[in-house]
Amino acid sequence: MIRLTWRQFRAPALAGLAGLALLAAYLVHLGRAVRHDQDIYLSRCRAGGDCARALAQFLGDYQNTLLYAAGLLALVPALLGMFWGAPLVARELEAGTHRLVWNQSVTRTRWFAVKLLVVGAAAAAFAGLASLLLTWAASPVDRLAGDRFSTIVFGARNIAPIGYAAFAFTLGTVVGLLVRRTLPAMALTALVFTVVQFVMPNVVRPHLMPPVTVSRPMTAEAINDARALGSLTGTPVVKGLSVPDAWVSDVSELRTADGRPLATDRFDHCFLDPPGTGATGTFGDAAVCLGRLDLHVRLSYQPNRRYWAFQWLESGIYLSLSGLLAGFGHWRIRRRVT
């Protein structure tokens, strides 16, 4: 059965190996370029130059490139689920070739389990190798940037992509088992996996471990350090607050000294028509006006030292979901598929 599975899987496997080889060549080239340029920028520091400026230039040279590479790697699990998982069973059910195997000595559950394990292991290995290469290439930039928890970066480093690939592949296989048509199964796999990948970082991940919560005074200087002020709905919020070596997972609305939310009309007055003071900074007079109101926010964050705990927890969730899907597929093919 393993030999039969391999013979059926040869063409997708060889295509995957070719793609992995191209990706590996690019990432090795990129990693060597990153390290070469890092040495150049560090030599400027040792020569008495402006280290902060040199390192900022180094980050600027590579952050966007690595962000695109991480986005590309984020597509890998979805593609594995669509092109390796969805057709695995759906194509056989669609063509009726499963009957030939089931009429031999191979049971349907063994047929399903071998297919799932052999091709699933290949999918996990593919994603793991791609993640290993990108993690190595990006490590000098990641150490300086300190944004390991950002949505795209977190999902493209270390062990998380292995869990994503295992889940996407198993999802595609079970969807194909249910739908019994290859193209609809591919489309549905992509849709469901995309929804799960949106929900995990935005809804689940912030609550995997209890965050550290602090109160931060919103002085004029603190407001000017924010990335944005206000929202489309007019809610009195500040966005883009940061904590050194941490991932900020939640920031409350602006609150007054007694803990109540700032009234919208007072926020609008400072934001839209602040008294002229000639202040500079990102928000200028608006920051000065709000800073005089003795405001604060409740800020929740996850320290970077918890990074590996989050990697293991999230990977464990995806692997557990994969196991549940595999168990459901085993039950379904034994009881319902004819």
Side-chain angles (χ1 to χ4, degrees):
M1 188 62 209
I2 293 177
R3 184 179 178 184
L4 174 62
T5 300
W6 164 246
R7 290 183 63 185
Q8 293 176 320
F9 180 59
R10 275 184 304 184
L14 291 174
L17 284 174
L20 183 61
L22 291 174
L23 181 62
Y26 170 72
L27 291 177
V28 168
H29 169 74
L30 178 62
R32 295 181 65 179
V34 167
R35 284 156 177 77
H36 176 263
D37 287 355
Q38 183 188 36
D39 291 339
I40 293 176
Y41 283 114
L42 289 177
S43 66
R44 294 180 187 176
C45 293
R46 299 188 189 101
D50 186 347
C51 288
R53 182 178 179 183
L55 293 177
Q57 289 176 341
F58 171 65
L59 288 175
D61 288 346
Y62 285 104
Q63 273 190 312
N64 285 339
T65 300
L66 290 170
L67 195 62
Y68 295 143
L72 177 63
L73 185 59
L75 293 175
V76 168
L79 294 174
L80 292 173
M82 290 174 61
F83 291 97
W84 287 10
L88 190 68
V89 174
R91 183 172 51 206
E92 301 234 27
L93 295 178
E94 193 172 18
T97 54
H98 63 290
R99 299 188 184 95
L100 177 63
V101 180
W102 292 359
N103 285 325
Q104 308 301 318
S105 60
V106 178
T107 63
R108 62 180 67 191
T109 52
R110 182 186 171 199
W111 174 83
F112 179 74
V114 171
K115 278 180 167 290
L116 197 65
L117 290 173
V118 171
V119 186
F126 185 103
L129 288 172
S131 173
L132 177 65
L133 288 165
L134 180 57
T135 301
W136 169 80
S139 58
V141 176
D142 289 346
R143 284 194 295 268
L144 292 173
D147 61 346
R148 306 175 80 191
F149 274 105
S150 67
T151 301
I152 296 178
V153 173
F154 183 91
R157 303 287 195 273
N158 297 301
I159 62 173
I162 298 175
Y164 301 164
F167 170 72
F169 169 77
T170 312
L171 173 67
T173 303
V174 173
V175 168
L177 175 62
L178 296 173
V179 175
R180 298 191 180 200
R181 294 291 184 271
T182 301
L183 291 179
M186 293 171 68
L188 189 56
T189 297
L191 175 62
V192 174
F193 183 72
T194 300
V195 171
V196 172
Q197 286 294 80
F198 175 81
V199 170
M200 177 59 73
N202 293 287
V203 179
V204 179
R205 188 182 299 163
H207 305 289
L208 289 179
M209 296 181 70
V212 178
T213 303
V214 296
S215 177
R216 174 177 288 187
M218 283 290 100
T219 62
E221 181 181 359
I223 292 172
N224 278 323
D225 286 339
R227 186 180 67 245
L229 188 62
S231 67
L232 294 176
T233 59
T235 307
V237 295
V238 288
K239 301 177 181 178
L241 296 178
S242 61
V243 174
D245 298 321
W247 165 45
V248 176
S249 56
D250 184 61
V251 179
S252 71
E253 297 180 13
L254 289 167
R255 297 182 179 274
T256 58
D258 59 3
R260 291 183 296 180
L262 177 65
T264 303
D265 56 344
R266 299 187 69 185
F267 175 78
D268 289 343
H269 169 68
C270 285
F271 185 59
L272 301 174
D273 188 28
T277 63
T280 58
T282 306
F283 301 105
D285 294 335
V288 173
C289 179
L290 290 169
R292 290 171 176 169
L293 300 179
D294 192 20
L295 302 174
H296 68 276
V297 294
R298 298 289 291 175
L299 187 148
S300 299
Y301 66 92
Q302 299 286 353
N304 278 352
R305 66 176 182 272
R306 296 180 178 178
Y307 171 81
W308 275 105
F310 272 81
Q311 279 272 323
W312 285 108
L313 285 170
E314 190 161 315
S315 299
I317 290 173
Y318 275 94
L319 291 175
S320 298
L321 290 174
S322 301
L324 291 173
L325 285 170
F328 172 77
H330 183 273
W331 171 83
R332 177 80 182 187
I333 205 166
R334 187 177 59 181
R335 299 291 182 87
R336 298 297 180 91
V337 178
T338 59

